[in-house]
Amino acid sequence: LVSGYSLLQSGPEAAARAAFERARTGWLAVDAASAVLVEAFGVDRFFDATRSVDVLLANAEEARALTGLDGEEAALALARRYRIACVKLGRDGAVAAFEGTTMRASPRPLEPVETLGAGDAFAAGFLLALSREADPYRALRQGGEAATTAIVAAHARRRSSLPSGSG
């Protein structure tokens, strides 16, 4: 997984491009990282820089910056450039497009909690499943499970660190 933060900024851009060129994996992935940075970098330039990538991970805002579309339509448009395009939809789960079809995974309902790190956990679960030869739908579900586990664990840590009677 190459972070878009590396690609989309002038300092580490060369290292990100070198990572794309040198990678030896069946599932080379990039996370778009930031809609603002994608727009500043340029959509066509982003697509050119990531032409060797197999998997694109983007949240809804990043997918919209890249395609002008939302949800499933964005995933389908992006999957014309990548083997799998996955659009993370926050509380609504994620949608992925693969070989012209879309699949969606919805998380189990959680009370409103901090979601920082959930996207990274999703990417880890999703890519790990793909690397273990899971089909894309199973990988999507495993990514969602990893994100949910990260949210629940962070919530439990937060609650245990509160003074007694305040959480």
Side-chain angles (χ1 to χ4, degrees):
L1 173 65
V2 175
S3 171
Y5 287 114
S6 297
L7 175 65
L8 301 172
Q9 298 182 69
S10 61
E13 179 185 353
R17 287 177 181 264
F20 292 143
E21 291 171 16
R22 295 179 182 154
R24 301 292 176 258
T25 178
W27 294 107
L28 178 57
V30 66
D31 189 314
S34 166
V36 171
L37 290 177
V38 165
E39 289 169 348
F41 189 78
V43 171
D44 290 337
R45 186 173 165 206
F46 179 88
F47 289 143
D48 182 60
T50 62
R51 68 183 168 275
S52 64
V53 167
D54 301 293
V55 180
L56 173 75
L57 298 162
N59 66 27
E61 188 179 351
E62 295 154 1
R64 193 175 311 109
L66 288 166
T67 65
L69 302 169
D70 292 312
E72 289 185 18
E73 293 80 16
L76 283 167
L78 291 164
R80 289 192 280 275
R81 295 180 178 273
Y82 306 96
R83 279 174 63 193
I84 298 178
C86 183
V87 179
K88 300 173 283 182
L89 304 170
R91 292 188 181 281
D92 293 327
V95 61
F98 174 71
E99 296 182 345
T101 63
T102 60
M103 57 209 82
R104 183 180 285 265
S106 298
R108 63 183 156 117
L110 296 173
E111 63 181 79
V113 294
E114 176 61 47
T115 60
L116 183 65
D120 292 336
F122 175 89
F126 182 73
L127 293 171
L128 180 62
L130 287 176
S131 75
R132 292 181 173 168
E133 300 184 10
D135 66 81
Y137 181 69
R138 182 177 173 93
L140 190 65
R141 285 195 335 260
Q142 286 187 230
E145 291 168 10
T148 298
T149 299
I151 291 168
V152 169
H155 183 64
R157 282 191 304 275
R158 183 182 164 279
R159 289 183 59 88
S160 69
S161 69
L162 294 174
S164 196
S166 64

